[in-house]
Amino acid sequence: MDPLAVFTRLIMEGFATGNDAVVDDVVTPGFVEHQYGFEGEGAEAIANLKSAVRGVRAMIPDVAYTIDDHVLDGDTLWVRMTSRGTHSVPVMGQPPTGRGLVLTVIDIVRFEGGRMAEHWGVPDRFALLSQVGALRRPTPSTDA
């Protein structure tokens, strides 16, 4: 199966809906997760990925995703993606603002036999912290 289709299925059927059952269809039994906070191998990594699927949906109930760009190099897929939703529940200790959230994520996925075997995820957590009010947005310096 096409790696982008497999990855897109995880995002659209899993993360966008909170349905963690799709994880079992798209990852290998020996799946390795490298993303900070969700690291693991095999059953631990699969459980962590399922937790992330449920957690994102709980954190941003109206989350929607756009695959902005991708590159496939051999068995490795690189994806740049944008997620959007409303800050309607507490996020990272910050009360809901009702404002829109926009988050860019870079995902790198290695495939084996048409399934995800290894994943590195890099969400722009600084942007998320800033948008929910937990981090002051940096301002460009005018000093030369």
Side-chain angles (χ1 to χ4, degrees):
M1 180 173 244
D2 171 43
L4 181 60
V6 172
F7 178 80
T8 300
R9 181 173 176 215
L10 173 65
I11 299 304
M12 301 307 179
E13 291 182 30
F15 281 94
T17 68
N19 175 13
D20 67 5
V22 70
V23 170
D24 294 323
D25 293 339
V26 299
V27 302
T28 62
F31 178 67
V32 179
E33 178 59 71
H34 297 280
Q35 183 169 321
Y36 177 78
F38 298 97
E39 303 94 335
E41 291 187 37
E44 178 187 26
I46 293 167
N48 290 347
L49 180 55
K50 288 180 177 184
S51 176
V53 165
R54 293 185 308 272
V56 167
R57 182 66 180 191
M59 185 171 77
I60 307 170
D62 65 345
V63 68
Y65 295 90
T66 304
I67 305 285
D68 300 308
D69 200 9
H70 73 280
V71 174
L72 181 62
D73 183 13
D75 64 356
T76 303
L77 177 69
W78 299 69
V79 177
R80 180 176 51 85
M81 175 174 61
T82 303
S83 63
R84 291 175 173 80
T86 307
H87 184 199
S88 57
V89 299
V91 173
M92 298 181 147
Q94 299 300 306
T97 64
R99 294 190 308 250
L101 299 174
V102 179
L103 182 66
T104 300
V105 181
I106 303 295
D107 286 289
I108 305 164
V109 185
R110 187 178 62 78
F111 285 79
E112 289 177 1
R115 296 170 83 184
M116 296 171 54
E118 201 165 4
H119 173 259
W120 296 261
V122 186
D124 187 349
R125 289 189 174 110
F126 284 118
L128 180 59
L129 286 167
S130 178
Q131 291 174 73
V132 300
L135 179 69
R136 192 174 49 107
R137 183 181 182 98
T139 55
S141 173
T142 58
D143 298 337

